[in-house]
Amino acid sequence: NNGGPVRFPDGVLVKSKNNPAVYFISGGRLRPIPSEDVFLAYGWDWKNIIWTTNKIISLYELGTTITLNETKTQLQISSQ
């Protein structure tokens, strides 16, 4: 470890306390989940969201918004 901040792995759902947005980490980037419908369509569970700070969220580059036409495999390996 180089002493830098610990980052969440791909496949994790995160949000900060001060922002209603939920993000899926994919390809090391935060991918916004645009709606409850999209969230539920992927079978995600609200209890699996990791609440974190804005500081941690700011460590990630913002990726593309998740759409309904992606597969879970594409989400995990996406570098967009």
Side-chain angles (χ1 to χ4, degrees):
N1 188 349
N2 63 5
V6 175
R7 292 170 56 98
F8 296 111
D10 285 357
V12 172
L13 296 163
V14 296
K15 80 175 295 307
S16 72
K17 294 175 184 172
N18 303 334
N19 185 335
V22 176
Y23 301 97
F24 179 82
I25 299 178
S26 179
R29 295 183 179 170
L30 291 176
R31 304 238 2 240
I33 301 169
S35 69
E36 181 178 7
D37 289 341
V38 172
F39 184 92
L40 296 174
Y42 284 100
W44 291 320
D45 193 323
W46 300 108
K47 69 181 182 210
N48 293 333
I49 296 170
I50 296 174
W51 290 66
T52 189
T53 64
N54 285 334
K55 185 175 182 179
I56 299 296
I57 294 287
S58 71
L59 296 174
Y60 292 87
E61 195 174 317
L62 193 61
T64 56
T65 299
I66 291 173
T67 62
L68 285 176
N69 63 356
E70 298 179 64
T71 66
K72 286 187 177 183
T73 302
Q74 287 172 316
L75 288 174
Q76 298 282 348
I77 63 172
S78 173
S79 59
Q80 293 186 9

